[in-house]
Each structure stands twice: as structure tokens, then as C-alpha cells.
Amino acid sequence: MHYIATIFLSLMTVALVVCGVLLWRRRNEPNDYSRTIQAVFSWVSAFFALTFILRTWAETTTADSALFEPEHIFAPILFQMAFFLYPLEVIRPSISRVKVYALLFVPLLLLVFVGMYAGIKYTTIHSYAELWQHIGEFNVWFRLLALAVISLYCFSLFLVPYDWRQSSADRKFILCYALGFCLIGVLHISIQVSHSYWLVLAHQVVWITFFIAVAWYELRERLLVPLSEVEPQDGKSYDAINDTLWRQTLILLDCNDKWRSPDLSLSSLSEQLGSNRTYVSEAFKRNVGTTFIDYITRRRIDYVVEQLCQNPNANIQKLFNYVGYRQRSTAWRNFHKIMSITPTEFVDSLKQ
């Protein structure tokens, strides 16, 4: 098992280095520092993975024998802070980043500083019997407190506000990132309290999968954040529409920019209208002869086509992001579904 863990650590090191290089080479494509942050984080993680391999084989670490070792309690707190930098850059919450950093990072930095540099003498604990014998000592319960703080911060990403008008990331991806972050933290805590090699292997597999998934999303799926402000919608009159539910639907979609929201669904629209899915779905078929999904897709693609016809040199990804697409593959697939050609082919036809 010792050799298997080393092999997985070696694979993780290589994967982290490769992901970091790929993200760094294309760091200037988005209008934020997300890829730069993730690239640096990948390399730092690779460095620690490599040093852990060397220390394990040199038998200079107590990771295999002692519980709640300080280096495996306080150092991961720094990794937790690094985990926050990427989603905060991608989500772009409306609240002040300074406040977010102060609330999230200052307590953690203080905890790390006290734990690592306050001259505390830590008692080595090899079993829960020894833990119970020394439970009253400051160094023991202080480590347990730090472990509890790590577990709490594992779930704090779910508290970061998400604004689809500012974010270029899909809400589903953000939730997956937060879940991956939680899983890595929970596995790390479980390792500290059990030293199970099966958990070590699971932790390494999840770590590799996490970084590869983030790199894949950044390089293949994520669209760019638009630089322009949201354009105001033209005022429209719906007084002539006799269908009350349909009139309310159009007002909600147009006046509140709901047609651009990536989180828009028939269920959420029905809830905001105070109706149900069946009635709202029938209103779409009754008035436009199509389904909710087809109507929204057509409306988004029509907007992109209109803007490209006015300016063939417009940034296609920004247009897709503006109308509510956060994943490149979904935007390209829907465009081809409506226009029967790819966005690139459409732009080329306009320039001929």
C-alpha cells in the first residue's frame, strides 16, 4: 500500500504540473486572474506533493504514525485559503472583496501563525488513549480546535453570493467546485484521525480529479466575462395582449432580464409568475407555438445573430455570455441547432 500511495502521489505531481502549465499559457484569455491563480496553486500543490514523497521515503515525517500532527493541521489551512481565491475571482460577488478576504482569511492566518510560530510544544499522539490522557493540555485541544475550524471552512464556499450578471462561471460548476473542496477537506480530516491508507488513496484521486476538472472547464468550457455593461432593454407595451399569463410572462422576461439568466428554468419562471409549469408551458405553445426551452434558445441565438450582423468582429464568447450561456459547448450546440452552421462559419459568411 505504501508503494501504491507513492505512485498516486507521483501521478498527482505530474498532473498538477501539466495543469498549471496549460492554465498559465492561456492565462490572458479571460478578463480576470482565475487561470493565473489556479496555475500557481497547481504548482504549489505539486511542490508539496513532491516534498511529501521525498520526506516519506527519507522517513522524516510522522504522517504515518502520529495523529493530529501540527504540520498536517495548520499547513492545510493555507491551502484552504488558496482554494477560495479561484472561485472568488470567477464568481465576482457584488460585495467588497476586501471584506470577504478579511472575514475568511484573517482568522485563518491568525490561527496558522499561532499554531506554527508561537513556540508551542506539541505532544506526539499515537492513539486515542494517549489523546484522552493529554486532552487537557493546551497544545492538544488547540489542534482539535484547528481541525474543527477546517471542517467548518470546508462548507463556507456555499455562502459566497453568486450573481449571474457578473459571473462567467456556471452555477452548476461553482457548486461542483464547492463540493470538491468539501470532499478534499473531509478526506484530509478523516486521514488525520485515522491514518487509513485507503483514505489517503481516495484523497489523492479526488485531488487529481479536482484539478483536472477545473483545468478542463477553464480551457474548454468557460466563456469570457463581458466587459460591456448590461444594455438596457427597450420599453415595450403589452397592453394589446389578451392572454394575461402570457403578458405577465413577457413582462417578467423582458423587464427583469430573466431571458438572459443562465439559471432560468420553466419551474423557476412558473414560481415567479405565481403559476405552475403546466399553465406556463401551455402559454408558450398557445402564443408562440413552441416550448419554453426552444423559445428561450431562439431568443438568445437571435440576439447573438443580430449583434454579429451589425458587427461581424464582435467577440462571440462575450455575446454568448451576455445572453446567459456559461459553457462554450452548450452555446455552440444551440447556435448550430438554430442556424445549422457554427458561429465561426456564420461570421465567415458575413465577412465574404
Side-chain angles (χ1 to χ4, degrees):
M1 190 68 71
H2 185 76
Y3 293 97
I4 296 177
T6 302
I7 292 174
F8 271 97
L9 271 176
S10 301
L11 292 176
M12 184 172 73
T13 303
V14 174
L16 291 173
V17 171
V18 172
C19 288
V21 171
L22 294 175
L23 290 168
W24 183 264
R25 291 179 60 183
R26 296 174 60 179
R27 65 188 182 279
N28 294 324
E29 289 185 6
N31 299 303
D32 54 46
Y33 299 102
S34 57
R35 290 180 182 173
T36 301
I37 291 172
Q38 194 67 13
V40 174
F41 188 27
S42 298
W43 291 333
V44 172
S45 301
F47 171 78
F48 277 99
L50 181 60
T51 57
F52 189 79
I53 294 174
L54 298 176
R55 292 182 60 196
T56 299
W57 285 98
E59 297 182 351
T60 59
T61 177
T62 58
D64 295 334
S65 58
L67 301 172
F68 313 114
E69 280 296 275
E71 63 175 307
H72 302 295
I73 294 294
F74 297 104
I77 294 179
L78 300 177
F79 276 90
Q80 277 199 312
M81 291 188 291
F83 268 113
F84 270 93
L85 294 176
Y86 171 81
L88 288 180
E89 189 67 26
V90 171
I91 298 174
R92 294 177 173 273
S94 57
I95 59 177
S96 171
R97 290 186 184 178
V98 175
K99 293 181 180 179
V100 173
Y101 293 157
L103 291 173
L104 292 177
F105 297 162
V106 171
L108 293 179
L109 287 174
L110 180 61
L111 186 64
V112 172
F113 179 81
V114 173
M116 299 297 292
Y117 304 107
I120 302 174
K121 185 177 180 181
Y122 293 98
T123 303
T124 303
I125 299 174
H126 295 91
S127 65
Y128 286 101
E130 292 183 7
L131 173 65
W132 184 252
Q133 292 176 2
H134 301 279
I135 193 64
E137 298 178 10
F138 171 78
N139 75 91
V140 174
W141 63 258
F142 184 68
R143 278 180 284 178
L144 296 177
L145 174 64
L147 207 60
V149 170
I150 292 177
S151 63
L152 291 176
Y153 271 84
C154 286
F155 300 93
S156 54
L157 264 180
F158 292 104
L159 302 179
V160 179
Y162 175 85
D163 186 350
W164 62 267
R165 290 181 175 85
Q166 300 183 37
S167 176
S168 63
D170 187 90
R171 179 188 288 272
K172 181 179 179 181
F173 170 76
I174 295 299
L175 290 177
C176 290
Y177 186 99
L179 288 173
F181 172 66
C182 288
L183 183 56
I184 290 175
V186 169
L187 286 173
H188 174 77
I189 295 172
S190 301
I191 292 170
Q192 299 311 306
V193 300
S194 67
H195 280 308
S196 169
Y197 265 115
W198 290 109
L199 290 176
V200 171
L201 294 179
H203 184 264
Q204 293 167 0
V205 171
V206 171
W207 194 278
I208 296 173
T209 305
F210 180 86
F211 274 89
I212 292 178
V214 173
W216 174 267
Y217 182 81
E218 276 291 330
L219 301 176
R220 299 290 297 179
E221 289 295 328
R222 181 183 166 214
L223 292 173
L224 305 182
V225 178
L227 292 175
S228 59
E229 296 293 333
V230 175
E231 299 178 4
Q233 298 294 320
D234 295 332
K236 298 180 181 180
S237 176
Y238 304 98
D239 296 336
I241 300 177
N242 295 323
D243 192 326
T244 302
L245 179 58
W246 181 243
R247 181 170 64 250
Q248 294 174 345
T249 300
L250 291 179
I251 292 174
L252 182 63
L253 291 174
D254 291 340
C255 297
N256 297 332
D257 290 332
K258 291 299 180 180
W259 68 278
R260 298 193 302 107
S261 172
D263 303 315
L264 181 66
S265 66
L266 182 59
S267 298
S268 63
L269 180 62
S270 302
E271 182 178 350
Q272 294 177 64
L273 289 169
S275 183
N276 59 55
R277 289 169 51 93
T278 301
Y279 290 155
V280 176
S281 179
E282 290 176 351
F284 276 94
K285 292 182 179 180
R286 185 169 59 248
N287 290 274
V288 292
T290 187
T291 64
F292 161 78
I293 294 178
D294 289 341
Y295 173 83
I296 296 298
T297 300
R298 167 67 70 173
R299 183 162 182 175
R300 290 173 175 176
I301 300 304
D302 284 348
Y303 178 88
V304 174
V305 169
E306 179 184 354
Q307 296 300 314
L308 289 175
C309 289
Q310 295 177 6
N311 180 17
N313 295 318
N315 190 306
I316 299 176
Q317 294 190 94
K318 291 180 182 178
L319 291 175
F320 279 134
N321 190 282
Y322 177 80
V323 298
Y325 291 115
R326 296 297 180 266
Q327 292 191 6
R328 185 179 305 173
S329 59
T330 303
W332 256 248
R333 182 177 63 253
N334 287 343
F335 190 97
H336 189 274
K337 176 183 178 181
I338 299 298
M339 303 302 296
S340 299
I341 58 176
T342 67
T344 304
E345 292 172 342
F346 179 76
V347 171
D348 291 340
S349 69
L350 294 175
K351 295 181 179 179
Q352 291 178 355

